[in-house]
Amino acid sequence: MTADDAHRASLPTRPDPAPCDAAPSDTDRPGPAPSDRRTSWSHAPLDAVRGGLIGAAESVPGISGGTIALVVGLYDRLVDAAGHVVHAGRALVTGLSRREGTAEAVAALRRVDWRLLIPVLIGMVVVLLVSLRTIAPLLESHPVPTRAVFLGMIAASVVVPLQMMPRRFRALDALLLAVGAVAAFLLAGLAPAEVADPSLWYVFLGAALAINALVLPGVSGSALLVVLGLYVPVQAALDDRDLAFVGVFMLGAAVGLASFVKLLQWLLHQRRQGTMAVLAGLMIGSLRALWPWQDEDRGLLAPSGDLLGPVLLAVAGAAVVLVLVVWERRRIARAETD
């Protein structure tokens, strides 16, 4: 070994170097693999609170529960857990139909972090039901200040998927972000439909579409229900305890989630850079639905009246999200050092 070789060998190495003449593809740097580490039951109260924040977001047209899942650090783990559950369901059907047993389905269910998923789901469902009776009426009676708070929260949340990119921001990422923003902006501008007595097949399809907002930041499940004319009928069915309506809605949601979550799981692990760019764009475009000044048909209006109040509320909403982001980052850092 020459002196130069010895000097080069003593230098610290840098993992995964990218060629200077070409940017690595997403497959060169996949997202993090699912972890086998299980959450402790001692974290259940905190996870229930984080699930409650997701449920509260789902009750507000214009806000996606997936956005809040990103902010509170649950997004990847919830998508992985949902992917395992979907795989278990498919393996169960296949195993029984082919008389191959249920071993594969049981193995998939064992990979689910139930100590995380159960508290999150409980908190999400409880707060969602409460929010439908509290936040939604507040939005109707005080639309400008309420939208201002949520506008600030979602605007500040855009930083989260950008920070989750495995590499530096590229020109392709800017294009994907722009496409996502335009798509979400156009979707948020669709006029709401009015369906007094929806048929059950329509309820099934609407639930299958709206549930994907739970795992797709920037797309609001409540907003989709408003566009489809199902938001008010869903509230009425819950109030009236219409079991047939609620049952078909839950079945459609299960089918819709199962059809999409495996694709999203693959994108997060194999095309993470571009996926995060699209998610950031969807969140930016969704801000249209939260513009404080709108007419009855969701058309955008120029600011009017007291401007200081909505601005301060938007800043306060953004500050809350940034505090959550910093807290989550420090929590992860402490967990890694333990």
Side-chain angles (χ1 to χ4, degrees), residues 26-304:
D26 283 345
T27 53
D28 294 332
R29 292 281 299 277
S35 174
D36 291 331
R37 179 170 55 89
R38 292 293 183 263
T39 304
S40 170
W41 281 117
S42 62
H43 297 159
L46 175 60
D47 291 333
V49 171
R50 295 198 287 182
L53 294 175
I54 298 173
E58 282 298 317
S59 68
V60 180
I63 300 184
S64 166
T67 300
I68 305 303
L70 274 174
V71 173
V72 298
L74 291 176
Y75 190 71
D76 284 293
R77 298 168 70 186
L78 289 181
V79 171
D80 283 335
H84 292 321
V85 172
V86 170
H87 177 69
R90 292 178 177 176
L92 178 62
V93 173
T94 302
L96 293 178
S97 62
R98 297 178 179 177
R99 299 181 180 180
E100 297 176 351
T102 61
E104 184 178 355
V106 172
L109 289 176
R110 287 176 177 172
R111 289 196 292 270
V112 178
D113 190 354
W114 295 107
R115 297 178 183 178
L116 169 73
L117 192 59
I118 291 175
V120 168
L121 289 178
I122 292 175
M124 183 177 65
V125 171
V126 170
V127 176
L128 174 60
L129 295 176
V130 173
S131 298
L132 288 174
R133 300 175 179 271
T134 55
I135 297 180
L138 184 64
L139 184 60
E140 294 180 2
S141 59
H142 300 87
V144 173
T146 306
R147 287 198 191 105
V149 173
F150 291 123
L151 178 73
M153 294 178 67
I154 301 306
S157 301
V158 175
V159 69
V160 178
L162 297 178
Q163 290 180 337
M164 294 174 69
M165 288 182 171
R167 297 189 303 277
R168 289 182 297 179
F169 198 76
R170 310 165 300 179
L172 176 59
D173 300 327
L175 176 61
L176 293 173
L177 185 147
V179 170
V182 171
F185 186 89
L186 295 176
L187 178 63
L190 294 177
E194 294 184 5
V195 182
D197 187 17
S199 58
L200 292 182
W201 69 264
Y202 188 72
V203 173
F204 180 90
L205 292 178
L209 291 174
I211 191 62
N212 290 321
L214 185 65
V215 294
L216 195 60
V219 180
S220 168
S222 297
L224 284 176
L225 291 177
V226 169
V227 170
L228 296 172
L230 291 174
Y231 189 75
V232 174
V234 168
Q235 286 184 309
L238 292 174
D239 292 337
D240 299 338
R241 294 176 175 84
D242 187 342
L243 298 183
F245 188 109
V246 174
V248 171
F249 187 89
M250 293 179 63
L251 179 60
V255 172
L257 188 63
S259 302
F260 179 71
V261 72
K262 293 297 290 183
L263 172 62
L264 180 60
Q265 186 181 25
W266 182 86
L267 289 172
L268 286 173
H269 292 298
Q270 302 301 326
R271 296 291 187 270
R272 189 173 185 84
Q273 181 83 5
T275 301
M276 287 299 162
V278 173
L279 296 185
L282 290 175
M283 294 167 64
I284 293 173
S286 70
L287 294 176
R288 184 204 186 284
L290 298 173
W291 178 251
W293 298 274
Q294 301 182 25
D295 58 26
E296 294 182 356
D297 296 326
R298 302 169 67 185
L300 303 183
L301 302 175
S304 60

